[in-house]
Amino acid sequence: DTEVTQTPKHLVMGMTNKKSLKCEQHMGHRAMYWYKQKAKKPPELMFVYSYEKLSINESVPSRFSPECPNSSLLNLHLHALQPEDSALYLCASSQDGFSGNTIYFGEGSWLTVV
Amino acid sequence: KQEVTQIPAALSVPEGENLVLNCSFTDSAIYNLQWFRQDPGKGLTSLLLIQSSQREQTSGRLNASLDKSSGRSTLYIAASQPGDSATYLCAVSALILTGGGNKLTFGTGTQLKVEL
């Protein structure tokens, strides 16, 4: 089962709201990722967690706060977002953080900031 | 900074045709290259992974090649079908040596339409 599950599929939030995106995988993968994809553009890396530790933050604004509670779960906490943050947020995972394994993506969470 | 380009940006072909999608990258120091498919409004589906030491990978009607020294990869789709219509993305991977994980840099994508 090569499945990465993301919830919610769609989220509309105001600029003063606090919300979270959730991601789960049960493949025993130890690296998890958040990507952001704007319309008609390729995905761009935001965060990488390897063995539950933050490995990379691609200079993402602090209004996005990642959390990895355990090896199966990855959250993205959202606060005081801007309309330009509206995008498809993709979660992904790979088996091992130190080798070139296939990276599996979820279906994404569509975020609209109003 | 790694830059990945895909040509063509869009392609429309009749059903049954064989086709080639191209991907080029500027920095040959990659760990592997992965091809994905993305349907409208959906996530990414992994198609093929080629390690940097490999030249070719095959899965069903798909064949991907990699020439690391020249910074090029191609995805060959045989006997195309309407169900192949999607956006195809290549992505090159670099290992994050300090903390672990893979950093994917995506190409600009090729939007494929296979017509009946």
Side-chain angles (χ1 to χ4, degrees):
Chain A
D1 182 15
T2 55
E3 190 168 296
V4 176
T5 303
Q6 291 187 241
T7 55
K9 290 194 185 324
H10 298 274
L11 177 63
V12 179
M13 61 184 291
M15 289 188 284
T16 57
N17 290 160
K18 283 185 181 181
K19 297 285 185 183
S20 297
L21 305 180
K22 298 185 183 300
C23 175
E24 190 169 4
Q25 56 87 15
H26 294 289
M27 296 179 277
H29 289 177
R30 302 309 299 271
M32 296 187 76
Y33 312 80
W34 281 114
Y35 281 81
K36 174 182 178 179
Q37 186 177 25
K38 301 281 280 184
K40 305 285 188 187
K41 297 289 187 182
E44 293 180 339
L45 182 64
M46 299 176 72
F47 302 104
V48 179
Y49 272 83
S50 177
Y51 294 86
E52 295 97 69
K53 287 186 169 49
L54 184 64
S55 175
I56 274 198
N57 174 345
E58 290 283 90
S59 302
V60 179
S62 60
R63 57 186 184 268
F64 295 91
S65 176
E67 178 196 20
C68 190
N70 58 56
S71 60
S72 300
L73 293 173
L74 185 66
N75 298 321
L76 185 63
H77 302 298
L78 314 170
H79 175 53
L81 295 191
Q82 303 296 312
E84 59 264 29
D85 297 321
S86 299
L88 178 65
Y89 288 83
L90 294 161
C91 175
S93 70
S94 62
Q95 182 176 0
D96 187 318
F98 292 95
S99 59
N101 300 113
T102 299
I103 296 179
Y104 297 94
F105 281 80
E107 287 291 306
S109 292
W110 283 97
L111 174 66
T112 302
V113 182
V114 297
Chain B
K1 181 187 172 187
Q2 179 73 271
E3 292 184 4
V4 185
T5 306
Q6 291 184 242
I7 295 173
L11 182 62
S12 182
V13 299
E15 182 180 14
E17 193 159 300
N18 301 326
L19 54 101
V20 175
L21 308 182
N22 297 291
C23 171
S24 61
F25 46 95
T26 56
D27 186 350
S28 61
I30 66 169
Y31 201 77
N32 59 43
L33 185 146
Q34 201 164 344
W35 282 93
F36 294 91
R37 138 180 204 150
Q38 186 171 32
D39 293 289
K42 301 288 189 180
L44 278 67
T45 300
S46 177
L47 298 174
L48 288 164
L49 172 76
I50 311 179
Q51 299 291 354
S52 61
S53 58
Q54 296 176 317
R55 303 273 305 176
E56 200 171 320
Q57 277 288 345
T58 298
S59 176
R61 294 183 294 108
L62 305 178
N63 176 279
S65 67
L66 174 63
D67 184 342
K68 188 179 159 185
S69 60
S70 67
R72 294 182 182 184
S73 176
T74 61
L75 179 67
Y76 175 83
I77 303 177
S80 58
Q81 303 170 357
D84 294 330
S85 299
T87 295
Y88 289 80
L89 294 156
C90 68
V92 296
S93 173
L95 281 183
I96 304 163
L97 297 175
T98 50
N102 289 273
K103 179 174 179 177
L104 287 182
T105 302
F106 282 86
T108 44
T110 294
Q111 189 172 4
L112 173 65
K113 184 175 181 181
V114 181
E115 297 174 321
L116 289 169

